[in-house]
Amino acid sequence: DAGVIQSPRHEVTEMGQEVTLRCKPISGHNSLFWYRQTMMRGLELLIYFNNNVPIDDSGMPEDRFSAKMPNASFSTLKIQPSEPRDSAVYFCASSLRPDTQYFGPGTRLTVL
Amino acid sequence: GIQVEQSPPDLILQEGANSTLRCNFSDSVNNLQWFHQNPWGQLINLFYIPSGTKQNGRLSATTVATERYSLLYISSSQTTDSGVYFCAVGRAGRRALTFGSGTRLQVQP
C-alpha cells in the first residue's frame, strides 16, 4: 500500500491567496484527520471525518479554513484568504480502527 | 479538553543508554498512542496502549490508566531513535486524538 498521500509537499504563497491541500487516505480506511503542526502550538487536530462525514471541526481556527471529503479516497483542506500565521506543516492521517492512525508526509505551507 | 503533559521536553543520550519518557493526562481516556516523529518529519505509530504493558523490540510502554500516566522505555538507544516522541490520547467514542508537546530525543554516537 502506498500509505497516505499528500500534495503538494511544499507550498509557498503570498498573503491573501487561496491555498488547497490535498489528501488521499489509505484504501479502505473510514476515518480521515487533518492536523496542523507549529512550534508554538504543537500538533493540533483541525477536523476529522468518519465515512466521509465531518464529525468534529472544533479545531478549525476560523472561517477562512474549510475541509471537504467528497468521496472515500480524497479530501481537501482549503484556506482562503491565507495569512502568514497559517504557516505550518499540515498532516493528513487515516485509520480503520481507533487503535492506529497512519500519517501522511505532511505539506509544509509558508505564507509570505 | 484533556491536557497532556510530557517530560522531559528534551533528552540527550549516548548510544547504548536507556531512557524513560513520561506522559501525564488530565482525564480518563480509552485511547492512548505513542508516536515517533523522525528528523524528516514523518510520524509513525509505535504503540496503542490505553492500559497495561506492551513491548516491541527495544521499545516498551506501560500505561496506568487509574493514575493517568504512561511511560515509554527505550533500551540500548541507537542514533536512529533520535526525533520527537509524542503521546496522544482520546476519549471514549471519539477517534480524535489530543497530542502532548513531545519529548525531543537526541542520541549521540
Side-chain angles (χ1 to χ4, degrees):
Chain A
D1 200 320
V4 176
I5 299 172
Q6 291 187 246
S7 64
R9 294 292 308 278
H10 302 272
E11 176 80 27
V12 180
T13 190
E14 293 188 347
M15 182 174 62
Q17 297 298 306
E18 177 180 296
V19 175
T20 299
L21 311 182
R22 297 173 175 80
C23 175
K24 177 179 170 56
I26 293 173
S27 177
H29 284 191
N30 59 2
S31 293
L32 183 140
F33 308 81
W34 283 101
Y35 292 89
R36 178 171 69 176
Q37 186 175 33
T38 61
M39 289 294 293
M40 291 298 294
R41 300 175 65 91
L43 263 165
E44 50 183 347
L45 178 71
L46 300 177
I47 185 171
Y48 86 93
F49 295 84
N50 196 43
N51 293 321
N52 311 337
V53 176
I55 301 300
D56 183 352
D57 65 353
S58 59
M60 296 286 264
E62 48 197 275
D63 292 346
R64 297 184 298 106
F65 286 69
S66 63
K68 294 182 179 180
M69 192 164 186
N71 57 63
S73 59
F74 184 65
S75 177
T76 60
L77 178 67
K78 186 175 294 187
I79 308 172
Q80 166 64 19
S82 58
E83 296 182 3
R85 60 191 167 125
D86 301 330
S87 297
V89 180
Y90 291 81
F91 286 100
C92 175
S94 71
S95 74
L96 176 60
R97 305 189 311 260
D99 59 350
T100 307
Q101 290 188 18
Y102 295 87
F103 280 73
T107 294
R108 182 174 296 276
L109 173 65
T110 302
V111 183
L112 303 174
Chain B
I2 299 177
Q3 305 300 311
V4 183
E5 295 183 357
Q6 293 187 242
S7 60
D10 296 280
L11 187 58
I12 300 175
L13 300 175
Q14 291 298 121
E15 204 167 21
N18 302 328
S19 61
T20 301
L21 284 56
R22 187 176 180 102
C23 170
N24 292 333
F25 43 96
S26 62
D27 204 348
S28 298
V29 301
N30 78 331
N31 188 342
L32 189 145
Q33 301 182 36
W34 283 95
F35 291 85
H36 175 226
Q37 186 169 36
N38 66 24
W40 296 270
Q42 181 67 46
L43 278 153
I44 303 295
N45 181 282
L46 298 175
F47 292 104
Y48 167 74
I49 186 163
S51 64
T53 298
K54 288 186 178 179
Q55 180 157 4
N56 184 2
R58 296 180 297 102
L59 272 59
S60 64
T62 294
T63 297
V64 183
T66 53
E67 297 188 21
R68 299 180 185 170
Y69 73 89
S70 182
L71 303 173
L72 179 69
Y73 305 96
I74 304 174
S75 64
S76 304
S77 58
Q78 301 176 357
T79 56
T80 51
D81 296 331
S82 297
V84 183
Y85 290 81
F86 290 100
C87 169
V89 302
R91 295 182 190 273
R94 295 181 75 245
R95 290 197 177 185
L97 295 175
T98 300
F99 279 75
S101 55
T103 292
R104 184 174 298 276
L105 174 65
Q106 183 179 346
V107 181
Q108 297 178 337

